Amino acid sequence: MEAITNFLYWLDDLLWGNAMTVVVVGTGILLSLRFAFAYQRKIRFNFKNTFAKMFDKGEGEGTISGFQAACTALANTIGTGNISGVATAIVSGGPGALVWMWVSAFFGMSTKACEIIIGQRYREHYKKSMDEYVCDRSFVMKNAFGWKKGAVVLAFFCFIFGPWTCCVQTEAVTSSLSQAFGIPSIVSVAVLGVTCLVTIWGGLKRISAVMSKAVPIMAVLYVIMGLGVVLINFKAIPSVIALIFKSAFSPAAAAGGFAGATVRDAIQYGVARGMYSNDAGTGYGMIAHASAKTDHPVRQSLWGWGEVFLDTMIVCSITAFTIIMTGSYMESEATSGALTTFAFTSAYGRIGGQLTAIAIAVFAWTTIIGMYYTCEKSVNYAFGDTETNKRMMPLYMIYYMLPCVIFYNIQADVLWAFTDIISAAYVIITLFFIYAKHKEIFRLFDDFWKRFIPAKQRGENPPNVSYDCARDRD
């Protein structure tokens, strides 16, 4: 076991070394420049076409509304990565890791938008087995490149190994609930497993309906709780901000229980945890948003801005400020979700730790459900739009939940290392798609801003821009 652990640490460091950091952030910078920072700059337009239209059913072809698709995606992004992932980043990379989370998120808005455009462009409508618009990395590999055999191999890889990345979710739940309430881990896992299984059994429409209610509520409540800590310690805000930026560009000295961190550590863990949290570059965006009803793929891609901003700039920042302001990363030897629980306990007393434990449990619950949907698409591809696909769903739901409820007690650092490795593989594939199909992405982007939107503003009614590769083949 020690040899396996050391290998995972080595491979994690290798994959998330300098090269990966440069490629990930560099891709976001290049895309942002090509888009003239439209996803970061056009805040009013982006907000008007995303959060301001939360209750619109959407125009065009699709299965669910744009907001429901975004909430399904946000179930992946606003999860324990915002609590456990941020805590792990600060423990391993120091306070400066937050700056690099911000940097990767700022430019990652453009990367996330490209994923959504790709998902809308190369999706298929499965009419026979589930009446749903679907897409994932395998669909793109087949429909964009014609690599059918490679797509099958990729699909099997994703749906077999994908569930294992959710072990970090159950580890965070069990550790935090045990610390705050003394609840035995087996009880927490049992409740989590049963409730997740019941929800995913209802398919996309039940998942999206639950997520569109649970995600906004939990995010708002958590932010309010974190802002309370900031207000309590408002006099420390200038010194905390100075520490964060200083640690981002110079080594963070060891203090208390904190072992210290280099600038490389801050960058590596900031980018890796930031990406795991907001999913920019992992390819999950193309999966969740492929089912959305929209009149143009680029309009749906505006949700990429909203997801990354809400996830990293707000929720992750709240967690980081809480941990740093309370000095918890120096006072406690805890990591992962237990450290964040310790931080809120320091600020509010026992009730703070209990509320945080509940938040972690809800975050993990929604993330496991949202992640199931992305893994399910690989099953859909492997078995096609057939009755076999329909029959496989219940079996896969059970398989999906097994790693979550069995391997929850593995060391948190090991689980995060394994998750980082899987995420790195997804990132490499997704970035390849973006570079290989950049001309089609830019064509759609220019069409939206230079033709479609001007026509709408003139009072015209241009036809919806929608794609269904299954229909196109017919």
Side-chain angles (χ1 to χ4, degrees), residues 83-84 87 171-172 175-176 179 332 334-343 360:
I83 299 176
S84 306
E171 185 281 329
S175 63
S176 59
Q179 181 178 348
S332 172
T335 60
S336 191
L339 177 60
T340 307
T341 303
F342 180 87
I360 290 174

Side-chain angles (χ1 to χ4, degrees), residues 16-87:
W16 285 105
N18 294 334
M20 178 69 86
T21 303
V22 170
V23 170
V24 169
V25 178
T27 298
I29 293 173
L30 290 174
L31 292 171
S32 297
L33 289 171
R34 171 57 179 81
F35 295 145
F37 291 92
Y39 293 99
Q40 297 89 343
R41 181 172 51 86
K42 296 179 180 291
I43 296 177
R44 183 178 179 182
F45 184 90
N46 294 345
F47 182 85
K48 183 179 178 181
N49 284 273
T50 53
F51 294 110
K53 291 187 175 181
M54 290 191 300
F55 304 109
D56 289 3
K57 294 183 178 180
E59 301 179 20
E61 298 177 1
T63 310
I64 57 178
S65 71
F67 174 64
Q68 289 178 317
C71 284
T72 303
L74 279 167
N76 280 347
T77 58
I78 299 183
T80 56
N82 303 89
I83 299 176
S84 306
V86 174

